[in-house]
Structures are given as C-alpha cells and as structure tokens.
Amino acid sequence: MKILLLGEYSRLHNSLKEGLVSQGHEVITVSSGDDFKKYNTDYSFHPAFFSRFWFIRKVKNLILKITTIDLEKVERAIRFYFLLPKLKDFHQVQLINSDAIETYPFLSRFLYKKLFQTIESRSLLVCGDETPIIDYLLKKEMKYSVLTPYFEDNSLKKKFRFPLKYRTKSYRKTFDWLNINCNTLIASDLDYKIPLEAMNYKPNFISNPINTDSIEFKELEIDSKVVIFLGINRGSYIKKGIRFFEKALTIIQEKYGSKVEILITENVPYNQYISLYNKAHILLDQVYAYDQGYNALEAMAKGKVVFTGAENEFTKHYNLTERVAINALPDVDSLVNELSFLIENPEELIAIGKRARNFIEKEHNYIKIAEKYLETWAIK
C-alpha cells in the first residue's frame, strides 16, 4: 500500500514510517522539517526563500508588521501546491494536525481539497494543539494544562497566540471540515484523548511509535556525578513550564555542588539534541502534562529518567505499579524533592531507567504501533 504522512512536529511520522515500511508498505513523508528542528522528510515545503538570507527575512518581517501577511506561510502553500502532482495514487493519507501545511487556513482547505481528490482514505491525527483541545482546556476543568500560565497571567496572551489561533473562525472551519472529510480521528496520548472525549469526540487512541531498534538502551552508570539535562525550545518555554525546572536546578546546584552536572541547551536541531543528552542520567521535559510527549519517550527508550507527565490517569491507563518516569509538577519544591531523592539514591535512577525502557518496548514499539494504525485505517 502507498501511504502519505503529511506534516511533522516531533518525529512521530518518521518513526511511524519506519514501522510501516517494515510491514512492506511504501510510505512518503511531506513536511517543512519544523523550523530549526530539521526533521527528515521525503518532500519538503520548507519556506527556504523567505528564511534563508537575513536581508530577505528583514523585508519579510517588515511586510508582516505593516500588512500582517506572513510570507513564509504563503511560500509553504505555494511549495506544497507544486508538490501535488507527486502526491497522487496513495491509498491512505494522514495529517499530523489540521495545520499540517503550516499556512493560512483558507489555503490549507484549498490544498487539502486538491489532495483529497485522489486519496479516499484519510485520517486526522491529534498530537498537539487543536481546536477541540483548546476549547476544552479553556473550560479549566483539568487541574493544570499547557494553558495554565495564560490563566494565571492574561498578559501572556501574545505568547499563547499559537494554541489560541485554533479557536479563531478560520482555523475552526478547517478542523470541522477535516473532521467531516477524514475517515478516522486519532489521538496520540492521554493529553489529547481526555479532552477530545470530554468534547464528545470519539478518537482512536494509538500511542506514539518509538523506533526501539534504532535507539540504543544503556543501563545508567553513576560514578561521581549525576548528570541532569534540560533542552529548551524558546517557542514552548512557557507552555512546558521550563521556569520551574530552571529554579529547581539553581537550588540543586547550590545544594549538591560538584555532585551534579547540569547541561542546558537551547533551540538546537533534533539530531544534535538527542546526542547532547546521551551522557545525562536525568532529562527534564515538561510539567503541564498528564502523559509523555515524543522527546520524553525517546529519552525513556535510552534508559534515561525523565521528568514529564506521568499522572494518575497515565498509570491507571497502562496499569503501572512502579514508576517509569517522574511526574513533574508545576511546583519548584516538588521538583527539588524528586531530584534530591534520585541524586541521593542512585540505585533508584538505575531501576527507573530499566523500567522506562521496558515500558517503551511494551507500549510504544514502532512496529506494533504501525500495525495498530493499519488496523485503524483498515489497510491490510
């Protein structure tokens, strides 16, 4: 079968492709590479012209300021349009979300309609911000969410323009159109499954695929120092609650001194990012989550101890009786206590790292997950 995976924000589609190819399917990925992350893709609609040279970027920014027209969004749409002749005769297409082409919604709808003319089986994946997700989070019925910082300080509204855009008329129209014109709706983790079901949608729940064959597990070895890694993406700094980690790390550094080594990176490409934390024992991911995102899962596959979403809903869903990750709360004292315990009990670090790998192999193996997608798409 020929399968088209459109969009990429986390390497989810790349890993899914690897699982599908192992089952004998022909798979093509199409994306922009997601800015500085530079994810692999077979065909790209990256806005190379308007992002390449500093003087062109200055002109682009000036036009954006004067007219509110984002020329990078326009360029992505144009590049995708010229890819359309190559995107025919597929049996299945999956969109990473309703803004998979990362352009203006009216252009997205135009391009989706063109694409869908030749592909009858279509699925929409929810693995991040999306219209019904944001609708539900704004009800404030969850004890915390990625919108919590916005609720606590409305002056941050500008910083939340990306998630909040999904509530505008045009983005809502695009999601509603896709919801009608796609055969399946899929949620990748509990942070999206819970809100979708609360908003009366019935998503198919399929966990993120992790290529456990290409990610090497190494049992943690602790000598003189415990190494803690924090990778910062400025675009999601507030949503992920990075400030809590930064404050906790300041306290930990003062408390343990030479017993710890703290590594911090910012806005680095994906391939560089995953190699930078290889020497770490602990990886700090995010605090406003109930389940693990993609970066956390890949680190867990390596045997790292990850501070991320691991709430009661998560442990209940997977019937876990022992920790495979640390449930990171938006509370500095809690983070300091958890870090202190692990630093002072290195044997627990090693044990959690082993359980983390076993959990990924059991629940996130990319080949097993690919089979679940094929069943959901009803492709043999």
Side-chain angles (χ1 to χ4, degrees):
M1 294 290 183
K2 288 185 65 178
I3 300 166
L4 177 62
L5 302 177
L6 175 54
E8 183 69 288
Y9 296 129
S10 63
R11 207 187 180 278
L12 192 163
H13 266 172
N14 274 276
S15 294
L16 178 57
K17 174 184 175 177
E18 291 157 5
L20 293 167
V21 169
S22 77
Q23 302 296 296
H25 297 280
E26 180 183 346
V27 185
I28 295 295
T29 57
V30 184
S31 78
S32 70
D34 199 18
D35 196 25
F36 69 85
K37 297 174 188 173
K38 299 180 180 177
Y39 293 114
N40 291 335
T41 187
D42 295 310
Y43 298 131
S44 174
F45 50 84
H46 172 68
F49 180 78
F50 284 113
S51 62
R52 183 174 298 167
F53 303 110
W54 68 269
F55 57 90
I56 293 177
R57 291 199 302 270
K58 289 196 73 140
V59 171
K60 176 204 72 175
N61 292 335
L62 181 61
I63 291 173
L64 177 63
K65 187 175 182 180
I66 295 172
T67 68
T68 72
I69 296 173
D70 187 336
L71 293 177
E72 284 193 10
K73 288 187 175 184
V74 176
E75 184 180 351
R76 289 190 197 102
I78 293 171
R79 288 183 179 275
F80 187 84
Y81 179 81
F82 285 109
L83 285 174
L84 283 171
K86 298 179 180 180
L87 308 181
K88 293 182 178 180
D89 303 318
F90 284 86
H91 300 99
Q92 174 73 38
V93 60
Q94 177 163 280
L95 277 59
I96 199 78
N97 85 334
S98 63
D99 190 26
I101 306 175
E102 304 167 59
T103 186
Y104 288 104
F106 75 95
L107 291 175
S108 289
R109 293 192 298 275
F110 169 78
L111 294 168
Y112 293 151
K113 287 173 184 176
K114 290 282 187 184
L115 180 67
F116 287 5
Q117 285 176 0
T118 62
I119 308 176
E120 291 185 3
S121 186
R122 313 143 187 167
S123 59
L124 176 62
L125 179 59
V126 178
C127 58
D129 296 333
E130 191 56 273
T131 299
I133 304 296
I134 302 304
D135 283 345
Y136 180 68
L137 296 186
L138 285 168
K139 292 175 178 285
K140 302 182 184 180
E141 292 180 2
M142 301 182 82
K143 62 183 176 182
Y144 56 72
S145 74
V146 292
L147 293 187
T148 294
Y150 168 64
F151 297 148
E152 294 173 347
D153 183 0
N154 287 157
S155 70
L156 294 173
K157 186 173 183 177
K158 229 177 181 181
K159 300 286 186 181
F160 284 83
R161 64 187 183 278
F162 290 109
L164 293 176
K165 75 182 182 184
Y166 288 98
R167 296 204 81 209
T168 62
K169 184 177 179 180
S170 193
Y171 279 94
R172 186 179 299 280
K173 184 176 180 180
T174 301
F175 175 82
D176 290 343
W177 185 86
L178 286 170
N179 189 45
I180 293 169
N181 287 277
C182 288
N183 308 84
T184 53
L185 181 68
I186 301 172
S188 66
D189 71 49
L190 298 175
D191 288 287
Y192 315 116
K193 177 180 182 288
I194 294 169
L196 282 171
E197 290 178 343
M199 296 299 289
N200 297 317
Y201 291 90
K202 296 180 179 178
N204 297 274
F205 180 67
I206 307 178
S207 302
N208 283 300
I210 302 296
N211 190 329
T212 47
D213 291 329
S214 65
I215 298 176
E216 183 182 3
F217 167 73
K218 286 188 177 180
E219 183 176 322
L220 296 179
E221 296 179 359
I222 294 101
D223 297 319
S224 57
K225 293 182 179 181
V226 172
V227 182
I228 306 170
F229 177 85
L230 174 62
I232 299 173
N233 174 353
R234 277 294 154 190
S236 59
Y237 178 92
I238 297 174
K239 282 175 61 181
K240 289 197 170 186
I242 301 300
R243 65 187 177 94
F244 293 101
F245 288 138
E246 289 177 326
K247 290 176 182 178
L249 287 177
T250 298
I251 296 170
I252 290 295
Q253 185 69 79
E254 292 175 354
K255 184 176 179 180
Y256 291 100
S258 61
K259 291 183 180 180
V260 297
E261 180 180 352
I262 296 171
L263 305 175
I264 299 177
T265 65
E266 185 171 327
N267 285 13
V268 296
Y270 169 78
N271 288 332
Q272 184 182 349
Y273 172 84
I274 59 173
S275 65
L276 285 170
Y277 69 71
N278 277 339
K279 66 179 288 190
H281 303 103
I282 297 171
L283 182 138
L284 306 180
D285 180 47
Q286 59 182 319
V287 303
Y288 293 119
Y290 287 65
D291 197 349
Q292 298 91 58
Y294 209 85
N295 286 343
L297 293 170
E298 287 197 320
M300 290 165 66
K302 288 188 175 187
K304 309 300 181 185
V305 175
V306 184
F307 279 61
T308 184
E311 274 289 351
N312 293 331
E313 290 85 347
F314 162 73
T315 57
K316 183 178 179 181
H317 179 83
Y318 289 103
N319 297 312
L320 298 172
T321 57
E322 294 181 292
R323 297 204 291 183
V324 298
I326 307 301
N327 188 35
L329 300 174
D331 178 272
V332 174
D333 290 339
S334 172
L335 296 174
V336 169
N337 290 337
E338 291 282 13
L339 285 166
S340 298
F341 173 77
L342 294 172
I343 292 166
E344 294 169 13
N345 297 274
E347 69 283 354
E348 187 63 15
L349 272 173
I350 296 169
I352 294 174
K354 288 179 181 178
R355 293 198 296 267
R357 173 67 183 204
N358 290 336
F359 170 74
I360 299 299
E361 288 180 350
K362 180 183 178 185
E363 303 291 353
H364 293 275
N365 178 277
Y366 72 118
I367 294 175
K368 293 178 182 176
I369 297 300
E371 290 171 351
K372 290 183 179 180
Y373 271 95
L374 292 170
E375 290 171 8
T376 301
W377 297 335
I379 293 178
K380 304 298 182 185

